Amino acid sequence: MRIAVIGATGWLGGAIVKEALSRGHQATAIGRDQSRLAELSGVDSAVADVRDADAVAHAISGHDVVVSSVTDRSTSDRSIIPAAARSLIEAVPRAGVPRLAVVGGGGSLNAPDGGRLVDQPGFPDAYKAEALAQGEALDLLRSAPADLDWTYMSPPPHDLAPGEKRGGYTVAGGDDPVGDGLTSGDLADAFVDELEQHRFSRQRFTAGY
């Protein structure tokens, strides 16, 4: 499988690239900074700003799936997250790529009362802007044209951390959390499983211990 990964220089995008390569897939890392892309080994690279649909369409052409793991923690502005979703909703069909798979957020998962976790009293202010932006991106995907084959993975709402694969996690489709905690290695394992198995077309899925 030829996989284009936007955000491959991040810790989650990088874990997905590592897992995909270990399974024999090919990967192309796409980002704005050529110097950071050059630090990655075992992948092709292409320079494009995810908000530029024309540039992205050119970079992803010929791939089997586009993976998006996008945020920008150098600033408090998280508008790049829904902007990336809008751009990819346009660019992926234009480039003739069959699928889009997004690493999203867990704050828009359901709380016990049925509302979203991000809207509950006490949700940490430090994570609120990103959670709201990720929820907006999910809403954009859900309203995208019916011929766009997308998948959106939400990590668990707590204790997502860098780490190797350890297994023992649960995966489920829908808007309810399935557990707390996940390493980046296990997130990548579950995510690449979905790329291979294609169980959650036009759905959100999540994983957790």
Side-chain angles (χ1 to χ4, degrees):
M1 190 185 309
R2 292 197 66 203
I3 305 169
V5 183
I6 300 168
T9 58
W11 65 289
L12 291 179
I16 290 167
V17 168
K18 178 182 175 182
E19 181 64 25
L21 293 176
S22 77
R23 301 190 192 194
H25 300 294
Q26 297 175 281
T28 300
I30 300 171
R32 292 176 288 177
D33 188 338
Q34 177 61 59
S35 64
R36 294 188 67 194
L37 294 173
E39 295 172 359
L40 302 174
S41 61
V43 301
D44 296 325
S45 64
V47 176
D49 188 319
V50 70
R51 294 164 291 193
D52 183 341
D54 291 334
V56 170
H58 178 75
I60 66 178
S61 179
H63 291 82
D64 300 302
V65 61
V66 177
V67 171
S68 176
S69 178
V70 173
T71 189
D72 183 356
R73 294 192 171 90
S74 67
T75 171
S76 60
D77 181 4
R78 296 291 186 265
S79 62
I80 191 172
I81 295 171
R86 292 186 189 95
S87 176
L88 289 165
I89 288 167
E90 178 182 346
V92 169
R94 188 195 305 175
V97 178
R99 296 172 62 197
L100 169 62
V102 176
V103 182
S108 59
L109 289 165
N110 286 340
D113 69 358
R116 301 186 306 174
L117 290 167
V118 68
D119 299 321
Q120 304 303 302
F123 189 89
D125 288 340
Y127 304 115
K128 195 158 199 172
E130 184 156 346
L132 291 170
Q134 291 285 10
E136 183 181 351
L138 177 59
D139 289 342
L140 288 166
L141 290 169
R142 285 174 164 166
S143 62
D147 58 353
L148 179 68
D149 187 354
W150 59 268
T151 302
Y152 181 101
M153 182 181 185
S154 284
H158 307 291
D159 298 326
L160 174 67
E164 298 299 316
K165 292 190 288 185
R166 73 184 212 198
Y169 59 82
T170 297
V171 175
D175 295 328
D176 293 327
V178 296
D180 283 337
L182 203 64
T183 65
S184 57
D186 279 336
L187 180 143
D189 189 59
F191 194 89
V192 179
D193 277 352
E194 171 56 21
L195 297 185
E196 295 176 341
Q197 298 169 15
H198 203 179
R199 293 183 296 166
F200 301 111
S201 178
R202 292 186 65 85
Q203 295 180 60
R204 187 227 294 262
F205 77 103
T206 187
Y209 301 125

